[in-house]
Amino acid sequence: MEKLSKKLFGYLVLVLPLCLFFSYYPVIGLGTNESMNFELSIPLIWLVVFDLVGGARLIHDGKLFNGLFRKLPWLLFPIWVTLTIIWSLNVTRGVLTAGIMWLIYLAGYAMWKYRSEFNEEFKRRFIKWFMWSTLFVCGWCVLQCILDLAGVSREYSLMCEGCIYRMFGFPHPNGFAIEPQFMGNLLLAPAILAAYLLLVGHGGMFRSNCLSACFFIVTATLFLTFSRGAIYAFVVGLCFMSAFVLVAVSKKRRGKLTKRVLAMWGTVILSFLFTLNLQGIMAAVSPTDDTYFDGVAKVVNQLTLGVIDLKGDRGNAQTDDGTDVTREKELENESVVVEKVVEKVKEGTREDTEKEEAIFDGYVEESTNTRLKLSGAALEVWSKNPANMMAGVGLGGAGQALYNNGLSSAPKEIIQNEYFSLLLETGAIGISLFVLTVVLLIRVVLRSGRGSVIILSLMVAYGVSLCFFSGFANALQVYLLIITAASLFGNDRAVAP
């Protein structure tokens, strides 16, 4: 029985990357209320099963509560976050969120305690499984784009409503995730892992050209998702990795490593140019009236937050009453496009040759403004009184707090920034304990030898990405993959929590 439990534990770690890619499809709907949806996904099911197996092993081996006092600094944050449920404005959401958080903690603790089982052979299997799973999902993302351009229904392509070609003139895939930003976020870890293997060596588990091709494909697919948050996080994470390895290496090896770093960045640039051209081609062949140049110009305009405008005709003109004319036109176009398409489909008169007008013609400023507005609203409610500032409004209560203060249209509205959400819900105490946990983790990671490079790079990339969304359910990879990387690439010199 013990051997079976040990094998099952290892198999569950191996299939984790593949499970994470199915973060939304398929999904089991369990109902809804005015403030949240109740859903069960494959990653959540994996987390429960893994904790049952890992927890049973820890209890059997007497490791669950062993050295509890030494673990206390690590437990201060989850204990405080759980206590805030007492005064939460949304107890149901708070309880469910706390439950997922404790499941993540238990999974991380189990992985760390049994990290000695992750020998070199296991690491090789994990990395190969991770890469093959990633390539499969990358292939699906490309197929999604093809299906959307061919007019296949979203029911079959699984494209989200805001991903289809009608938005920008070209599709941007969401894979099996709920939105492209989550799909892009899922590609951060394999992209950074491939970069790490290219820089520090891969122990012969891949041919160099195969690994470079894999890095190119994963990076190109990440750019294809058109998620600014994921792309920015990837670039920052890669910059950190490049600087870290060049500083840490000896002067004797620095010349050789510098060539590898330049080659890696060359691959990133090539993958971006490849994707940029692909998006231009998709814009040209889509049923919209966009040209190749329109597609390219829109990508550059969106990724640079409107700073670079290749077309030079996208000024956000305003009327005398301050209304944004460009945004009004975008919303009007969206309404007209949908009405015309529905009408012609019903009449059976739609022609394949008829050209539509894409809803957005470049940088969607409202996307950025909405995030900034919600973050500002969170700060406003947080600073409203000393109680909020110190202890927050309670775990899960951010959406309700904004709604009660007239700063959002519905209790379901979430703050699309994990740091501001955490500040509002758990207060200054919660943020302080979160920082303490990060410091403790960095302290452990820095004692992990060469493996600290990839662990810290992942932490930096995911840390940046949390500025663009919040919550646990659709972003378990942020926490589970950092834990997995620490367990796989850390060594016994690290001080166990």
Side-chain angles (χ1 to χ4, degrees):
M1 190 66 181
E2 187 176 346
K3 288 184 179 180
L4 179 62
S5 178
K6 182 178 179 179
K7 282 187 177 181
L8 183 57
F9 185 86
Y11 288 141
L12 285 171
V13 174
L14 287 176
V15 301
L16 171 60
L18 182 61
C19 291
L20 289 173
F21 280 121
F22 293 89
S23 62
Y24 190 74
Y25 294 105
V27 66
I28 302 173
L30 303 175
T32 184
N33 63 17
E34 64 176 6
S35 62
M36 64 184 299
N37 298 321
F38 302 97
E39 297 169 340
L40 196 59
S41 65
I42 286 180
L44 279 174
I45 294 173
W46 178 94
L47 184 59
V48 172
V49 173
F50 183 80
D51 279 346
L52 288 173
V53 175
R57 289 193 70 187
L58 289 169
I59 293 172
H60 178 270
D61 297 338
K63 295 182 177 181
L64 185 59
F65 299 108
N66 183 31
L68 185 61
F69 181 76
R70 287 192 297 109
K71 301 184 186 77
L72 189 58
W74 293 85
L75 297 176
L76 289 175
F77 173 70
I79 288 173
W80 170 255
V81 169
T82 304
L83 284 175
T84 65
I85 296 174
I86 297 172
W87 56 86
S88 175
L89 297 176
N90 190 335
V91 175
T92 302
R93 190 183 186 100
V95 169
L96 293 175
T97 303
I100 295 175
M101 178 187 63
W102 280 107
L103 287 173
I104 292 172
Y105 263 77
L106 179 57
Y109 183 63
M111 278 193 197
W112 183 262
K113 277 298 182 182
Y114 294 107
R115 70 191 186 281
S116 60
E117 297 174 5
F118 304 147
N119 54 31
E120 290 303 316
E121 178 59 30
F122 185 91
K123 291 178 187 177
R124 292 165 68 92
R125 290 174 62 195
F126 179 86
I127 291 172
K128 286 185 176 181
W129 180 257
F130 198 174
M131 288 304 172
W132 280 114
S133 301
T134 303
L135 291 177
F136 163 74
V137 175
C138 288
W140 168 248
C141 287
V142 174
L143 180 59
Q144 267 191 316
C145 293
I146 296 172
L147 293 175
D148 183 61
L149 290 172
V152 175
S153 169
R154 288 175 47 235
E155 179 183 357
Y156 302 104
S157 68
L158 305 183
M159 292 283 275
C160 70
E161 191 172 0
C163 309
I164 58 178
Y165 70 82
R166 290 189 183 94
M167 295 297 133
F168 287 94
F170 55 85
H172 47 297
N174 57 294
F176 299 102
I178 189 171
E179 293 176 1
Q181 66 170 331
F182 291 100
M183 183 63 243
N185 192 272
L186 283 162
L187 293 173
L188 284 178
I192 288 176
L193 175 59
Y196 168 78
L197 295 174
L198 285 171
L199 290 181
V200 305
H202 45 82
M205 71 179 76
F206 299 102
R207 292 182 179 178
S208 295
N209 54 350
C210 290
L211 184 59
S212 297
C214 183
F215 179 58
F216 178 89
I217 293 170
V218 176
T219 304
T221 308
L222 194 157
F223 286 126
L224 191 63
T225 64
F226 204 35
S227 167
R228 289 174 299 171
I231 292 171
Y232 298 161
F234 171 65
V235 172
V236 173
L238 221 56
C239 286
F240 175 85
M241 178 183 286
S242 302
F244 190 96
V245 296
L246 288 176
V247 170
V249 76
S250 63
K251 290 184 178 180
K252 185 177 180 181
R253 294 185 56 206
R254 192 166 297 166
K256 184 178 181 180
L257 196 57
T258 301
K259 292 180 181 179
R260 290 185 183 180
V261 170
L262 292 175
M264 179 195 69
W265 279 105
T267 304
V268 172
I269 294 171
L270 286 175
S271 66
F272 172 71
L273 293 176
F274 171 82
T275 305
L276 185 63
N277 278 278
L278 182 60
Q279 288 164 323
I281 293 171
M282 289 193 295
V285 302
S286 73
T288 67
D289 58 3
D290 283 339
T291 64
Y292 168 86
F293 181 73
D294 289 330
V296 171
K298 287 181 182 181
V299 172
V300 174
N301 195 237
Q302 174 76 347
L303 293 183
T304 60
L305 304 181
V307 174
I308 301 177
D309 186 358
L310 299 179
K311 295 182 72 173
D313 59 355
R314 271 190 288 261
N316 286 340
Q318 293 186 335
T319 59
D320 292 336
D321 61 359
T323 304
D324 191 325
V325 174
T326 301
R327 182 57 189 159
E328 279 193 341
K329 180 176 181 294
E330 289 169 351
L331 294 175
E332 182 183 352
N333 287 342
E334 181 176 3
S335 175
V336 171
V337 168
V338 173
E339 287 178 5
K340 284 185 177 180
V341 170
V342 171
E343 180 182 349
K344 295 199 173 186
V345 168
K346 286 182 178 179
E347 296 175 356
T349 59
R350 182 180 177 186
E351 299 178 6
D352 292 336
T353 57
E354 185 172 348
K355 290 291 185 179
E356 306 166 6
E357 184 179 353
I359 295 171
F360 300 116
D361 66 349
Y363 173 45
V364 185
E365 190 174 358
E366 185 176 341
S367 175
T368 304
N369 291 343
T370 298
R371 283 186 167 87
L372 295 175
K373 179 182 176 182
L374 289 170
S375 296
L379 283 176
E380 181 179 336
V381 177
W382 172 75
S383 60
K384 198 168 186 179
N385 57 65
N388 283 359
M389 294 180 69
M390 290 302 298
V393 299
L395 185 64
Q400 191 66 51
L402 295 186
Y403 181 72
N404 290 349
N405 285 273
L407 298 173
S408 70
S409 58
K412 280 187 178 181
E413 188 77 72
I414 62 172
I415 300 166
Q416 298 180 44
N417 184 307
E418 181 63 26
Y419 304 110
F420 285 104
S421 180
L422 189 64
L423 178 65
L424 177 58
E425 293 186 347
T426 66
I429 296 176
I431 281 290
S432 300
L433 293 176
F434 172 76
V435 172
L436 172 63
T437 303
V438 173
V439 170
L440 290 172
L441 183 57
I442 292 175
R443 181 184 168 193
V444 170
V445 170
L446 289 175
R447 300 180 183 182
S448 298
R450 192 173 67 170
S452 60
V453 180
I454 185 171
I455 305 169
L456 290 174
S457 298
L458 273 177
M459 290 177 64
V460 169
Y462 281 137
V464 173
S465 72
L466 288 178
C467 294
F468 297 88
F469 61 82
S470 60
F472 283 124
N474 294 317
L476 287 175
Q477 73 276 359
V478 172
Y479 313 98
L480 292 177
L481 289 180
I482 289 177
I483 292 167
T484 306
S487 301
L488 285 171
F489 297 98
N491 59 35
D492 293 334
R493 286 186 296 144
V495 179

